[in-house]
Amino acid sequence: MENPETIDWKTIENELDTKGYARIERVLTSDECDLLSGDYEHAALYRKTISMERYRFGFGEYKYFNYPLPGLIQQLRQSFYHRLAPVANLWMQQLNLPHKYPADFQTFQETCHARGQDKPTALILKYGAGGHNTLHQDLYGDVFFPIQMVIFLNQAGEDYTGGEFVLTQQTPRAQSKAIVLRPNKGDILLFTTNFRPIGGSRGYYRVNMKHGVSEVLSGERFTLGIIFHDALS
């Protein structure tokens, strides 16, 4: 894994502020991606399996990890939170919201647990042909972190076709904007969990964002989702 401290965080922060998402290329090696996707059938790693079709979330399957998380996932969660907390705090300040995120992940996690959100939310997702994920937001309780990440574990155009990552931006009094992305294996995509600020002539205003996955046309698509807040159940 690339050392998160060597990433150009100034550019990442600027992209999050201006677009609501940022792509970081080749953070994980191909072998690390294969190890994570290869563990999909190891039942002991997971606390819950969700069939998207059953809940009308789309078509596919995902699994929530148990605590303790695998070392690589825990490392990603801690190191990226540390870098993203200042961005999250700036957003809350710009929107005049009372949320204040601590600098270190452990303290933020303690805040989640104190509110009953003590279940891990890191998850791995698997889609086959026809698989898709409807537009949604990953909120699991009153405590939330406004940025999350997805890691692409296999290669678009080789291991699967279709299955683009889709973001929608719902600006007040305007039509929604769709953003379609196709990261490569090992890339990380950071994006807005639920809303972000946009500067206007009278200061900052709030725009809502959702995300999903377009239909997979062939092959199998694997991704790893890392959400920084924990869940109630």
Side-chain angles (χ1 to χ4, degrees):
M1 182 182 78
E2 179 181 353
N3 183 351
E5 296 305 312
T6 67
I7 292 170
D8 181 1
W9 283 104
K10 185 175 181 179
T11 297
I12 298 304
E13 291 167 7
N14 181 64
E15 290 182 351
L16 285 169
D17 282 338
T18 57
K19 299 188 295 186
Y21 67 90
R23 175 178 168 182
I24 312 174
E25 297 183 350
R26 297 183 296 276
V27 178
L28 295 192
T29 67
S30 180
D31 287 345
E32 287 170 329
C33 292
D34 292 344
L35 178 63
L36 289 165
S37 59
D39 279 341
Y40 189 80
E41 301 301 333
H42 292 184
L45 291 173
Y46 308 104
R47 67 178 180 88
K48 182 187 291 188
T49 299
I50 301 294
S51 168
M52 296 185 198
E53 186 177 17
R54 177 181 178 187
Y55 296 97
R56 298 185 178 179
F57 294 162
F59 187 72
E61 184 179 81
Y62 58 89
K63 298 180 180 183
Y64 288 107
F65 284 89
N66 278 319
Y67 277 138
L69 297 176
L72 179 59
I73 298 175
Q74 181 67 12
Q75 183 181 356
L76 286 165
R77 209 177 184 208
Q78 289 178 332
S79 59
F80 274 76
Y81 174 90
H82 168 69
R83 285 293 188 168
L84 295 171
V87 179
N89 283 326
L90 177 61
W91 287 3
M92 298 303 107
Q93 179 182 349
Q94 290 169 336
L95 292 171
N96 295 314
L97 295 173
H99 307 295
K100 176 69 175 178
Y101 298 99
D104 65 287
F105 177 71
Q106 182 177 349
T107 303
F108 175 66
Q109 191 172 49
E110 289 170 358
T111 301
C112 291
H113 292 186
R115 298 291 292 273
Q117 294 178 218
D118 59 0
K119 302 295 189 299
T121 49
L123 70 164
I124 188 167
L125 304 97
K126 177 183 177 181
Y127 304 88
H132 63 279
N133 198 347
T134 56
L135 293 170
H136 65 283
Q137 297 174 328
D138 293 310
L139 300 173
Y140 297 96
D142 292 335
V143 182
F144 69 91
F145 192 73
I147 303 167
Q148 64 190 79
M149 54 198 283
V150 61
I151 304 166
F152 294 78
L153 301 181
N154 55 356
Q155 183 58 48
E158 296 179 9
D159 299 310
Y160 63 94
T161 60
E164 293 85 1
F165 189 88
V166 180
L167 287 164
T168 59
Q169 178 174 294
Q170 299 166 302
T171 303
R173 298 180 298 280
Q175 298 290 338
S176 295
K177 175 184 178 181
I179 303 157
V180 179
L181 303 168
R182 197 187 187 200
N184 294 312
K185 184 176 183 178
D187 290 357
I188 284 181
L189 185 66
L190 299 167
F191 60 96
T192 305
T193 300
N194 50 352
F195 59 80
R196 70 183 185 94
I198 289 184
S201 59
R202 299 182 179 180
Y204 289 92
Y205 61 95
R206 168 175 166 166
V207 297
N208 290 321
M209 296 189 75
K210 293 184 178 181
H211 64 278
V213 176
S214 72
E215 184 176 353
V216 174
L217 302 178
S218 65
E220 286 188 333
R221 179 188 189 273
F222 286 91
T223 52
L224 173 70
I226 295 182
I227 300 154
F228 295 99
H229 46 273
D230 280 341
L232 289 167
S233 62

